[in-house]
Amino acid sequence: MEDITKYAGSLDKTKILNCYRKISVFLGNENKKFQISKIADGARNREYVGVIEWLSNAGIINISYALEQASLPLKGNYNPDNYRLYFADTGLLIGSLEEEVQHDLRNNENMNTYKGALYENIVGDMLVKANDNATVSLNNLIHSDKYKDIKYGIKLCNKNIGFNGKFYTFPYFLTFLLKRYLREK
């Protein structure tokens, strides 16, 4: 985790790590809105603007702004103070969780506790992927000897439903059925 600050330059590395460590906490809350004021005592948005931007530009997080109104142009209708942060790779979310939580997830235990944050991050991650190819992390996970119970992956993309022997593909518009598919599989 500390490697993420390696290229931070003049930015406050403590603030970067504070933000990074709190993303999973906010995703676990009912209201998933990211709130700088709850990161540290006396923290203010203006002190962290560069930090959030840096994490986004580094490809570590995705920012999802709330819209004031759902009309075009969207960029002109978003609220810069009301946003959620998602990890750009759900593996980063899992890695940021406590060891006990990671153990639960590997053993499919207590899923009701974690599924909201996981599914929301997965969908957020998939909706901003730049291509429809398998990700390196998905291939590594499928072929890992450490997780022998993982036989295939799931990729949301601009393709039809399919299976290539390694992962299933589903079009983005079927995301709402993913939970049902996993339950039945």
Side-chain angles (χ1 to χ4, degrees), residues 97-166:
L97 299 171
E98 297 170 355
E99 195 170 313
E100 181 181 330
V101 175
Q102 291 179 23
H103 178 268
D104 283 352
L105 292 172
R106 283 193 296 274
N107 292 307
N108 289 324
E109 296 170 357
N110 300 318
M111 278 302 290
N112 285 338
T113 306
Y114 314 116
K115 70 180 178 185
L118 283 173
Y119 288 160
E120 190 164 341
N121 198 91
I122 288 168
V123 171
D125 179 19
M126 292 299 114
L127 293 177
V128 296
K129 289 290 184 195
N131 61 48
D132 292 337
N133 301 324
T135 61
V136 173
S137 58
L138 178 59
N139 281 329
N140 289 342
L141 187 63
I142 294 168
H143 294 102
S144 171
D145 290 334
K146 188 174 181 182
Y147 305 107
K148 294 182 188 291
D149 57 325
I150 298 177
K151 307 287 185 222
Y152 62 89
I154 295 175
K155 175 87 171 150
L156 299 173
C157 54
N158 287 322
K159 292 183 177 181
N160 290 325
I161 297 171
F163 182 67
N164 68 1
K166 292 183 188 178

Side-chain angles (χ1 to χ4, degrees), residues 1 20-29 32 60-61 85-99 101-102 105 114-125:
M1 175 178 7
Y20 180 87
R21 289 178 178 134
K22 291 290 186 174
I23 295 170
S24 59
V25 173
F26 286 108
L27 286 175
N29 292 340
K32 293 169 177 41
I60 297 168
I61 64 167
L85 298 182
Y86 300 100
F87 288 97
D89 186 306
T90 304
L92 291 173
L93 170 60
I94 305 278
S96 75
L97 299 171
E98 297 170 355
E99 195 170 313
V101 175
Q102 291 179 23
L105 292 172
Y114 314 116
K115 70 180 178 185
L118 283 173
Y119 288 160
E120 190 164 341
N121 198 91
I122 288 168
V123 171
D125 179 19

Side-chain angles (χ1 to χ4, degrees), residues 64-94:
S64 177
Y65 292 100
L67 293 174
E68 294 293 324
Q69 51 187 346
S71 62
L72 296 174
L74 295 179
K75 201 165 195 149
N77 292 308
Y78 79 94
N79 181 343
D81 297 324
N82 187 357
Y83 56 91
R84 294 177 180 185
L85 298 182
Y86 300 100
F87 288 97
D89 186 306
T90 304
L92 291 173
L93 170 60
I94 305 278

